[in-house]
Amino acid sequence: MKANEVLDMLKRRFPNEPEYHQAVSEVLGTIEEVYNEHPEFEKSNLIERLCIPDRIFSFRVTWVDDKGQVRTNMGYRVQHNNAIGPYKGGIRFHASVNLSILKFLAFEQTFKNSLTTLPMGGAKGGSDFSPRGKSNAEIMRFCQAFVTELWRHIGPDTDVPAGDIGVGGREVGYMYGMYKKLARENTGTFTGKGIEFGGSLIRPEATGYGNVYFLLQMLKTKGIDIKDKVVTVSGSGNVAQYTVEKLITLGAKVVTMSDSDGYIYDPDGIDREKLDYIMELKNLYRGRIREYAEKYGVKYVPGARPWGEKCDIAMPSATQNEINGDDARALLANGCFAVSEGANMPSTPEAIDEFLKAKILYAPGKAANAGGVSVSGLEMTQNAQKLSWSSEEVDQKLKDIMANIHEQCLKYGTQEDGYVNYVKGANVAGFMKVAKAMMAQGIL
Ligand code: NDP
Ligand code: 2IT
């Protein structure tokens, strides 16, 4: 079956899954050349096998809220592909979670994990549970209930979950605690754990730092210095916070952050002290970004995203499809010359087309945000060895991995005119490794 026929087939067999179709379409659109160079792929129906997840678990999660009311949510785990290592990928708790979103994320994760150089397959899980407004006790009861179903499908050498939207250190702790009780083992199944019980230093920072390290690699190809560059960041969660932290230490000026209600614009730039305030606001009090604008007397724009603000560099770090064609055109019109994605699939296909047409530095999430899962891989190694590495060691390995991913993008994505198409580079590099591993292991 040809690549475009596979997409039509997926749309027929799995209708109403637009995010899944979008992610598959982006990858298939860039690998045609290498696919055609390998006629053996077609005979073994490789693309179809690579696009359809190995298996999907779905289950009801029943929990009790603080008023004593019994509530239900749906829980899922999509085990996409384990050709190069155990299934690996985060858990998302958000009201919008459905199978289309988790299938797109698990598909992307497979190629991202392939790029990291570490032996990890791709997976994703989650629930349509919304943590917003829930008490700590409700979060704990929900995490425990979720794991009473999930635990039988995961393990240190089979499937290792971690965090994603709505799941951070607190939630991973509650899930891991319940997992250990049920599985009667202490082998580190889950990454992003607390430092006291097997977590890795630099894991909380890894996605944001890694994205900035990738950006630095891209800027280096053009001889551009990050210092004094104006950066717009979206989101104010884990990825956004550590992206901003690293940018500040490098002397860049971050002028925006956001949450699902709106964004703040601080023309003086978010400094260390203001970032500390945001971290406390978001991680401790679970407040809204609007409160930053009230405290520091800056502009708050409700119900909007920050892409209309003038910047040199944009780093979307909230969610999928948060930059549409109009946003991309606004960024370009304002002189933005680099976009590096902390979130997964934040740019719509139309936005990606605009960036590539304008030939700016554009790094897709599966390359730029791979630092998070990379340090998760390093956490797995430390757990297996029953030891832990210093921050400096982990940070250096993270830098090396991001440089390696950048190198792979250059190798497979450099066009005849010298422009680097990082989308193609990342997709081809990620795809070829998984494809070769699948071919070598027979028809499964
Ligand atoms: P968090 O839950 O810590 O933060 C998410 C942030 O994005 C919050 O500010 C949230 O606002 C905002 N947000 C979430 N959903 C929406 C939405 N539908 N519309 C507008 N804003 C939204 O998640 P992370 O920082 O961990 O994840 C952010 C992105 O990075 C996701 O795309 C995730 O898949 C990706 N990612 C995460 C990695 C990790 O290690 N955590 C690794 C690689 C990628 P609010 O507070 O209002 O909900
Ligand atoms: O999208 C991602 O790469 C993550 N949410 C992190 C996954 C992981 O296993 O650390």
Side-chain angles (χ1 to χ4, degrees), residues 88-90 109 112 124 160 162-164 191 203 344 369 372-373 376:
K88 180 82 194 91
Q109 196 82 48
K112 183 196 304 189
K124 203 84 188 191
V160 182
D164 192 76
T191 59
R203 177 62 189 89
N344 286 305
N369 73 35
V373 75
S376 278

Side-chain angles (χ1 to χ4, degrees), residues 172-200:
V172 167
Y174 291 149
M175 286 194 275
Y176 185 58
M178 194 61 176
Y179 172 80
K180 275 187 357 188
K181 207 173 171 69
L182 295 165
R184 299 196 302 159
E185 57 169 49
N186 220 322
T187 49
T189 307
F190 274 94
T191 59
K193 300 183 292 296
I195 212 70
E196 306 80 7
F197 52 98
S200 176

Side-chain angles (χ1 to χ4, degrees), residues 101 138 144 167 202 288 298 312 353 401 413:
I101 288 177
E138 287 175 325
Q144 292 175 338
V167 177
I202 306 292
R288 310 309 301 161
V298 301
D312 301 309
D353 280 348
I401 289 171

